[in-house]
Amino acid sequence: MKKYLVIGNPIEHSLSPLVHNFWFKKYRISESVYEKKKIESSDLKNIVDQVRNEKIKGVNITVPFKKEIIPFLDALKGDAQLTLSVNTLCKNNNEVIGFNTDTEGFKNSLLNEKIDYKNKKILIIGAGGVSSSILAAFIKTSKKIYITNRTRTKADELKKLGEASLTLLGREKEIIEVVDWGKTSEICDIIVNTTSVGLIKGENLNLDFKEYNNTSSLFYDLIYNPKDTNFLKEAKLRGNKIMNGKMMFLWQAQIAFHMWTGIEASIDKELIKLVEV
Ligand code: ATR
């Protein structure tokens, strides 16, 4: 039996087992099972060891361990290096490698809706665990990236991480700017909520977006449960475009599934319905 896991704490809410087991069945991959496991920090080394000795074939990592797992890994690849955030483990040539499929998953969710995110002005709200993955999605091609976070120091740290990538890319560092919480930046094309505000129904960011009335800006909330946060409801009322994090979630899973099985799984209507909340 090939075993796959998603680890996190809390983990009850995770829909990843539903998605991966759906694909195992659809593509007739027998003897494979994907489970969720609530873990503590002290379990991380053991999980990585189990990938190394092939007791576990693949692992997804969710909140709050995406960074904490890094010291236990042999190497980071691709966006995991840029973001210092790992959501997928694979064994490659006897090494346990950390990957980040959140960045690509986020980009795919935009491309799939034919949303052109290149050469645009971006506002990232939040500087928590997932924020670096969103920053990485925009860093190569954006005209300007604003970051705002309740705790300013975390926004400054995220800016530094982004600047390191910009230097590697040979782009000028000035494209990233931190905006004090509650202050407005210039009008942006895409505004992404990467905070946890909205996970509890009715929660409000209390930021002022009235300058966005009737603009064609896209308000993207990474939260997909609940599916319409106040951030999105208010954007809709203002006449803005909206998107929640459901398709990003499915795409990051699709990319991980491909790494483990070599199969390009499709995100069909049945699957989208399966994860409907
Ligand atoms: P996680 O690992 O779950 O992403 P995190 O790293 O603590 O958790 O990130 C949560 C994000 O939501 C942070 O940007 C956090 O802002 P702070 O850095 O100031 O804590 C943001 N956040 C959480 N509750 C918030 C609130 N009530 N108002 C504004 N931002 C909030």
Side-chain angles (χ1 to χ4, degrees):
M1 183 63 89
K2 285 185 190 144
K3 190 172 161 185
Y4 297 82
L5 273 187
V6 57
I7 55 172
N9 193 346
I11 199 68
E12 301 77 47
H13 65 282
S14 175
L15 297 175
S16 291
L18 209 59
V19 173
H20 288 278
N21 289 321
F22 172 87
W23 283 327
F24 286 144
K25 197 167 163 210
K26 175 168 176 173
Y27 295 102
R28 298 199 162 82
I29 303 173
S30 56
E31 302 277 297
S32 295
V33 64
Y34 186 112
E35 291 167 348
K36 53 185 158 190
K37 191 173 168 64
K38 182 174 161 185
I39 64 152
E40 306 297 331
S41 301
S42 54
D43 299 320
L44 288 170
K45 183 181 180 305
N46 181 257
I47 299 275
V48 175
D49 285 344
Q50 289 190 63
V51 177
R52 196 171 281 115
N53 64 29
E54 297 180 17
K55 288 218 166 75
I56 306 177
K57 175 107 194 309
V59 178
N60 280 138
I61 296 137
T62 188
V63 177
F65 300 117
K66 289 182 181 187
K67 196 176 174 130
E68 220 179 313
I69 189 97
I70 293 176
F72 302 101
L73 305 175
D74 299 316
L76 302 182
K77 288 258 166 79
D79 290 324
Q81 288 175 314
L82 296 181
T83 57
L84 300 181
S85 171
V86 168
N87 77 328
T88 303
L89 302 186
C90 290
K91 189 180 170 187
N92 262 345
N93 300 327
N94 257 358
E95 290 192 313
V96 182
I97 315 279
F99 293 88
N100 175 316
T101 71
D102 288 328
T103 296
E104 205 62 33
F106 177 73
K107 286 198 273 193
N108 283 358
S109 73
L110 293 173
L111 291 171
N112 217 48
E113 290 294 315
K114 306 216 170 9
I115 291 161
D116 179 13
Y117 61 87
K118 297 182 180 155
N119 216 18
K120 301 282 187 213
K121 293 175 186 165
I122 312 294
L123 170 62
I124 297 175
I125 304 169
V130 70
S131 310
S132 64
S133 299
I134 305 309
L135 180 64
F138 291 118
I139 203 96
K140 287 188 186 138
T141 57
S142 295
K143 192 186 280 179
K144 184 86 193 178
I145 303 173
Y146 295 96
I147 303 171
T148 192
N149 191 53
R150 181 180 60 177
T151 310
R152 163 95 196 198
T153 48
K154 281 170 73 182
D156 290 334
E157 277 168 34
L158 184 62
K159 178 180 182 227
K160 268 198 207 132
L161 189 71
E163 285 176 343
S165 297
L166 288 171
T167 305
L168 283 177
L169 292 163
R171 300 195 71 199
E172 44 179 292
K173 291 204 287 190
E174 287 67 32
I175 71 160
I176 307 181
E177 209 175 299
V178 173
V179 178
D180 282 332
W181 187 249
K183 295 269 158 57
T184 45
S185 65
E186 64 179 317
I187 296 268
C188 289
D189 304 290
I190 303 178
I191 301 91
V192 189
N193 176 34
T194 72
T195 75
S196 48
V197 179
L199 276 175
I200 298 169
K201 244 193 165 107
E203 270 182 324
N204 228 313
L205 272 170
N206 293 322
L207 293 174
D208 183 1
F209 292 112
K210 58 175 178 296
E211 287 180 15
Y212 284 87
N213 278 345
N214 300 314
T215 64
S216 59
S217 300
L218 168 68
F219 281 70
Y220 194 133
D221 201 328
L222 299 190
I223 295 170
Y224 60 92
N225 184 11
K227 67 177 170 197
D228 46 357
T229 55
N230 280 341
F231 178 73
L232 295 186
K233 279 183 189 158
E234 288 164 13
K236 199 171 176 185
L237 285 174
R238 281 192 304 269
N240 310 132
K241 289 192 285 238
I242 60 167
M243 251 179 105
N244 73 17
K246 185 160 87 172
M247 295 312 288
M248 172 186 172
F249 165 69
L250 289 173
W251 280 112
Q252 66 72 31
Q254 197 260 10
I255 300 161
F257 191 84
H258 182 248
M259 284 178 182
W260 296 327
T261 65
I263 293 171
E264 290 262 0
S266 78
I267 297 176
D268 59 20
K269 283 197 184 116
E270 194 183 347
L271 177 62
I272 293 172
K273 201 153 177 243
L274 196 66
V275 297
E276 196 63 57
V277 287

